[in-house]
Amino acid sequence: DRSEVLKTLSLGANDFLAKPFDPDELKLRVMNHARTKKLNDIMQRLNGFLEIEVSKKTEELQKALQLSQQAEYEISLRLGKAAEYRDMETGMHTVRISHFSRELAQLAGLPQEQCNLLHYASPLHDVGKIGIPDRILLKPDKLQKHEFEIMQMHTLIGGNILNKGDDFPVIRAGRIVAEQHHEKWDGTGYPNGLKGDAIHIFARIVMIVDVFDALTSDRHYKKAYTIEKAVKMMQEERARFFDPVLLDLFLTNLVSFIEIRTSFSDINENGTNPFEELLKYEQTIP
């Protein structure tokens, strides 16, 4: 009766035969259910195999993506070093800028993906110096007005070098940094006189850490300032040169940046600056 049918199905039965049953019908029904069970088993095994394959392919893609990002970073770092060799800046400058930038981006609350992107892109900030004549780039004295105007072109040259790279996140971000890292918070910077938040946050971050590293490093036109003097000079330019919020974050966490600077020092184990050694070597070449 109906109650027995419902009870049978509620116990988990897939099918049933009422008495008196037909042996041929019983055989056919059992064969159909056995076939269904076999197909279900095959599907489960296939799904398990596909899950393993998808996991393997996903891992391979992640490794390929990581390698691609690492390759972009290596290209970025080496392009930055090429610019350094032009004006004989400190040997670890681009590496420090890279780590400084990511640290400040993290303090500013940027998403981790953006922090990593800036870490990879920031070494490209001065790539445009490749296009500046040596007589200006290496001049030990103060630049004349027309010379400084030529020097300012390194931002646009950098942008042109990194142009049409929008398919590559690091190159795209590098172009922003190269073009805008000399824009000032009050709008008096170059090349486009951008002001305040109109300056991309990547460029605002790089400007702060680049100035800090420049002030505390030996250059061919000056000796390094002490940390105290560098900090005082930067505080005087708060809300004029620098984004005031980002500068406050930087100065509040200055110890972290000093630790990074110490970790990536320009001094070799023998106590010499590698770039000074390179200059001495070049002077011995006839």
Side-chain angles (χ1 to χ4, degrees):
D1 59 17
R2 184 173 180 274
S3 64
E4 288 297 319
V5 171
L6 293 177
K7 180 181 178 181
T8 302
L9 295 176
S10 68
L11 291 173
N14 291 323
D15 204 354
F16 71 92
L17 287 173
K19 293 179 180 181
F21 63 87
D22 183 333
D24 291 331
E25 182 184 2
L26 172 62
K27 180 179 178 180
L28 290 173
R29 285 178 180 269
V30 169
M31 288 178 64
N32 285 338
H33 286 299
R35 187 182 298 111
T36 300
K37 171 67 165 62
K38 184 176 182 179
L39 289 174
N40 285 336
D41 289 345
I42 291 173
M43 287 300 298
Q44 287 181 0
R45 288 196 297 271
L46 180 60
N47 287 337
F49 172 77
L50 290 175
E51 287 177 1
I52 292 172
E53 288 299 307
V54 168
S55 178
K56 288 181 179 178
K57 294 298 181 184
T58 300
E59 185 178 354
E60 291 174 2
L61 286 172
Q62 289 175 339
K63 288 180 179 179
L65 178 61
Q66 185 177 9
L67 182 61
S68 173
Q69 292 174 335
Q70 189 63 29
E72 282 193 79
Y73 178 49
E74 285 297 322
I75 292 170
S76 170
L77 197 60
R78 294 175 193 281
L79 276 173
K81 282 187 173 294
E84 279 185 4
Y85 272 95
R86 284 293 326 285
D87 68 355
M88 304 309 294
E89 283 188 352
T90 54
M92 296 294 287
H93 174 68
T94 53
V95 177
R96 287 196 297 269
I97 293 300
S98 178
H99 288 271
F100 283 157
S101 297
R102 181 171 60 182
E103 180 73 12
L104 187 51
Q106 289 173 335
L107 291 170
L110 269 61
Q112 191 59 47
E113 181 182 354
Q114 294 292 299
C115 296
N116 292 337
L117 180 59
L118 183 56
H119 174 68
Y120 298 142
S122 55
L124 294 169
H125 67 289
D126 272 342
V127 68
K129 287 184 177 180
I130 292 172
I132 303 300
D134 286 347
R135 61 184 174 81
I136 294 175
L137 194 64
L138 301 179
K139 185 176 180 180
D141 303 318
K142 184 177 180 180
L143 297 178
Q144 299 296 318
K145 184 176 182 297
H146 70 282
E147 293 173 328
F148 184 63
E149 289 173 351
I150 295 173
M151 176 64 84
Q152 290 177 325
M153 293 294 293
H154 82 274
T155 55
L156 298 177
I157 295 171
N160 287 334
I161 290 173
L162 302 172
N163 193 18
K164 298 181 180 178
D166 289 348
D167 291 338
F168 305 95
V170 171
I171 302 300
R172 183 171 65 247
R175 182 185 180 188
I176 291 171
V177 170
E179 288 182 337
Q180 297 186 18
H181 73 287
H182 281 290
E183 301 286 1
K184 299 177 184 177
W185 184 254
D186 66 355
T188 61
Y190 63 87
N192 296 312
L194 300 179
K195 183 177 182 179
D197 291 334
I199 307 167
H200 197 286
I201 191 168
F202 284 0
R204 284 181 270 147
I205 287 172
V206 171
M207 184 186 197
I208 289 172
V209 299
D210 185 36
V211 170
F212 174 75
D213 198 66
L215 291 174
T216 55
S217 300
D218 286 335
R219 297 290 172 86
H220 63 268
Y221 52 85
K222 75 166 190 66
K223 288 294 184 181
Y225 295 128
T226 64
I227 297 292
E228 291 77 12
K229 184 172 182 179
V231 167
K232 185 175 184 299
M233 293 173 70
M234 294 178 72
Q235 286 174 328
E236 290 173 352
E237 301 300 339
R238 183 183 184 278
R240 195 169 79 87
F241 273 44
F242 309 114
D243 178 331
V245 174
L246 289 176
L247 182 64
D248 290 346
L249 275 174
F250 176 83
L251 296 178
T252 301
N253 296 275
L254 188 60
V255 172
S256 298
F257 295 96
I258 294 174
E259 288 176 353
I260 292 173
R261 204 187 188 316
T262 303
S263 298
F264 300 99
S265 172
D266 297 303
I267 304 302
N268 289 330
E269 291 181 359
N270 60 5
T272 61
N273 184 308
F275 272 69
E276 290 179 355
E277 291 180 340
L278 179 59
L279 279 173
K280 291 178 182 178
Y281 170 74
E282 288 181 339
Q283 291 170 359
T284 66
I285 300 175

